[in-house]
Amino acid sequence: MPYDPSAFPPFAVTVDLVVLTVRRHALCALLVRRGEPPYQGRWALPGGFVRIDEDLEAAAARELAEETGLQVQDPGSGHVGAHLEQLATYGDPRRDPRMRVVSVAYLVLAPDLPSPTAGGDAHSVRWAQVDTLSTPGGGPVRDGDRPAPLAFDHDRILADGVERARSKIEYSSLATAFCPPEFTVGELRRVYEAVWGVALDPRNFHRKVTGTPGFLVPTGGTTTRQGGRPAQLFRAGGATLLNPPMLRPEI
Amino acid sequence: MPYDPSAFPPFAVTVDLVVLTVRRHALCALLVRRGEPPYQGRWALPGGFVRIDEDLEAAAARELAEETGLQVQDPGSGHVGAHLEQLATYGDPRRDPRMRVVSVAYLVLAPDLPSPTAGGDAHSVRWAQVDTLSTPGGGPVRDGDRPAPLAFDHDRILADGVERARSKIEYSSLATAFCPPEFTVGELRRVYEAVWGVALDPRNFHRKVTGTPGFLVPTGGTTTRQGGRPAQLFRAGGATLLNPPMLRPEI
DNA sequence: CGAATAGTGTCTATCAGACAATATTGG
DNA sequence: CCAATATTGTCTGATAGACACTATTCG
């Protein structure tokens, strides 16, 4: 079928963001409260329209900065900033009751922020523990009553983003995106434990990550902020793919 | 930023298909020749507009059927049909010189077809060996002169699809999507060899795939179509994720 | 028989996981 | 000292890869 640029069907294109961080040993996602219909008052993923001359990834980075103040990781500026990658695109014709909206979802991994939800007001932005949110299939939540579903199809988008993060830290060094620029092996291990929801053997974990070439680079410093014996500080090495991968314990 | 449904920027949304198969021990992609500007006469990925009331995946399945006659795998009908999954979305504002087009790319894995490019005319549809096509970064091709680049950003989309297929057969049973409903271990091994471009030890491969639970189910039949000792026939088992994964040899 | 492919057995280096033991801090 | 965390070392079972060997067909 040839293009007919003068008679194309009109779509709206948005970006939605699954922004994940690890706070107090738990995987958390950034949510915003909707101020208008549809789904007024419900929590939703941050996001917005793509501008007509704007690249999709640029739109995602712009929305991230507008809603959180986070800057996307810049190749020139070292390891500060958040990791941003495209997740998937959601385009069910009825996902927005008003019109046809195709949404390109992006996954953002960020270290725990000193100023939570900076740039927004505290009533309409929050970090929500992922394991207390409803699941698209209606699966179990950790405890307590089931919370209200997110607006639109955002429960599914969030679930897809969480699953992407869980699988990707297995074979890539992305877990360091949840850490500050300098971190200890124990802090990195607590990231894996929070994202996977499992306990890992600290001794085998230490041997594994320090033995994987390119994963961690010692900075020379030490810290005692966790209590106990001072731990070496590391920063992320250049490796992006881990070989051999970190193995997620079976069920 | 709140939605303003009455004043959204107008986008066109298309689907593009990376259709891969294994023919004569080589990974091949389906290409169509463009009959009109821009890029008139150049080869491109099959695809087309998403209809205003059509789901994205439905649009991909429809375009696949229109251009190849292939049916997407149906849960009710066993293992016939092709595997279809979303790949990524491409939305650079200048990727189409005429207007703003956001394209959702889908990856299709299909067994070698008895009737190549059924439903199309032979002049405008072809299977192209992936390793003879140009690469987005200008990397080396197997031999001979560099062919003309594909239309639009389709070289990049194709490269992303090929990389997805190469990595996904490692940890999933997707390689069976390249095989007919019944196949031998040797045929499955030749799929891995073609997709990865490496030689695998037939004996270790046999032990590995037959020892992975849920990967292969013997049908009881045998075949001698490869010559030599008759081989057992298998069909794909229910497992989708392989644990342990097939390991791609290093470089 | 020889060539070709299928399939099984064996060996070894490596590695994941369990866990003992030591090191170094704060209270 | 005790509690807590970090780090190193040791052992064992599993396995990937190399490769010898046998099985079964066709020409």
Side-chain angles (χ1 to χ4, degrees):
Chain A
M1 183 182 68
Y3 280 18
D4 182 356
S6 61
F8 67 90
F11 286 75
V13 176
T14 62
V15 289
D16 284 318
L17 301 179
V18 178
V19 186
L20 300 180
T21 194
V22 174
R23 324 189 74 208
R24 283 171 283 126
H25 293 205
L27 183 63
C28 295
L30 188 70
L31 300 182
V32 299
R33 194 194 292 272
R34 286 185 58 78
E36 58 191 57
Y39 300 102
Q40 185 168 20
R42 292 268 280 279
W43 293 96
L45 299 176
F49 278 108
V50 178
R51 296 175 182 164
I52 196 65
D53 279 318
E54 182 180 45
D55 189 33
L56 299 175
E57 184 158 325
R62 173 178 55 76
E63 291 286 345
L64 179 67
E66 285 177 8
E67 309 236 24
T68 69
L70 275 171
Q71 297 292 324
V72 169
Q73 189 161 347
D74 181 353
S77 66
H79 190 259
V80 296
H83 169 84
L84 176 74
E85 68 176 48
Q86 195 185 104
L87 177 59
T89 298
Y90 300 83
D92 186 293
R94 294 172 308 282
R95 64 181 295 278
D96 188 313
R98 298 160 299 177
M99 58 180 301
R100 182 69 194 264
V101 178
V102 168
S103 182
V104 184
Y106 279 81
L107 177 64
V108 176
L109 307 185
D112 193 5
L113 304 174
S115 54
T117 68
D121 75 278
H123 288 298
S124 60
V125 186
R126 71 177 175 119
W127 289 109
Q129 283 196 23
V130 163
D131 60 1
T132 65
L133 292 172
S134 64
T135 53
V141 295
R142 203 176 55 166
D143 51 6
D145 290 79
R146 182 176 313 288
L150 301 182
F152 304 107
D153 50 1
H154 289 187
D155 278 314
R156 162 163 296 281
I157 299 176
L158 175 59
D160 290 347
V162 168
E163 182 48 38
R164 169 82 66 93
R166 285 184 173 146
S167 65
K168 206 151 181 187
I169 65 174
E170 248 183 307
Y171 57 89
S172 81
S173 61
L174 262 189
T176 59
F178 288 117
C179 296
E182 294 199 352
F183 54 90
T184 68
V185 172
E187 288 163 349
L188 183 63
R189 175 171 48 82
R190 279 179 279 276
V191 164
Y192 275 91
E193 291 177 332
V195 175
W196 284 344
V198 297
L200 300 174
D201 185 292
R203 299 157 292 184
N204 292 334
F205 183 88
H206 189 283
R207 180 160 40 84
K208 183 73 182 272
V209 295
T210 55
T212 299
F215 193 6
L216 300 182
V217 177
T219 66
T222 61
T223 182
T224 178
R225 59 180 171 240
Q226 305 294 332
R229 171 177 166 178
Q232 284 186 73
L233 284 168
F234 296 85
R235 56 179 176 79
T240 52
L241 259 51
L242 301 184
N243 199 342
M246 305 296 298
L247 291 183
R248 173 158 33 163
E250 327 232 340
I251 307 180
Chain B
M1 184 182 68
Y3 281 19
D4 182 355
S6 62
F8 67 91
F11 285 76
V13 176
T14 61
V15 290
D16 284 317
L17 301 179
V18 178
V19 186
L20 301 179
T21 195
V22 174
R23 324 187 75 208
R24 282 171 283 126
H25 293 205
L27 184 64
C28 295
L30 189 70
L31 300 181
V32 300
R33 194 194 291 273
R34 286 186 57 77
E36 58 191 56
Y39 300 103
Q40 186 168 19
R42 292 268 279 280
W43 293 96
L45 300 176
F49 278 107
V50 178
R51 296 175 182 165
I52 196 64
D53 280 319
E54 182 180 44
D55 189 33
L56 299 175
E57 184 159 325
R62 173 179 55 77
E63 291 287 344
L64 179 67
E66 286 176 8
E67 311 236 22
T68 70
L70 274 171
Q71 297 292 323
V72 168
Q73 189 161 349
D74 181 352
S77 67
H79 190 258
V80 296
H83 169 84
L84 175 73
E85 68 176 49
Q86 196 185 103
L87 178 59
T89 298
Y90 300 82
D92 186 294
R94 294 173 306 283
R95 64 182 294 278
D96 188 312
R98 297 160 299 176
M99 58 180 302
R100 183 70 194 265
V101 178
V102 169
S103 183
V104 184
Y106 279 80
L107 177 64
V108 177
L109 307 185
D112 191 6
L113 303 174
S115 54
T117 67
D121 76 278
H123 287 300
S124 61
V125 186
R126 71 177 176 119
W127 289 109
Q129 284 197 23
V130 163
D131 59 2
T132 65
L133 293 172
S134 63
T135 54
V141 294
R142 202 175 58 163
D143 51 7
D145 290 79
R146 181 175 314 287
L150 300 182
F152 304 107
D153 51 1
H154 289 187
D155 278 314
R156 163 162 295 282
I157 299 176
L158 175 59
D160 290 347
V162 169
E163 182 48 39
R164 169 82 65 93
R166 284 182 173 149
S167 65
K168 207 151 179 185
I169 65 173
E170 237 177 321
Y171 57 89
S172 80
S173 62
L174 262 189
T176 59
F178 288 116
C179 295
E182 295 199 351
F183 53 90
T184 69
V185 172
E187 288 164 350
L188 182 64
R189 174 171 48 83
R190 279 179 279 275
V191 164
Y192 275 92
E193 291 177 331
V195 175
W196 284 344
V198 298
L200 300 174
D201 185 292
R203 300 157 293 184
N204 291 333
F205 182 87
H206 188 284
R207 180 160 40 83
K208 184 75 180 272
V209 296
T210 55
T212 299
F215 193 6
L216 299 183
V217 177
T219 66
T222 61
T223 184
T224 179
R225 60 179 171 241
Q226 304 294 332
R229 171 177 166 178
Q232 284 186 73
L233 284 168
F234 296 86
R235 56 179 176 81
T240 52
L241 259 52
L242 300 184
N243 199 343
M246 304 296 298
L247 291 182
R248 175 161 30 166
E250 328 232 340
I251 307 177

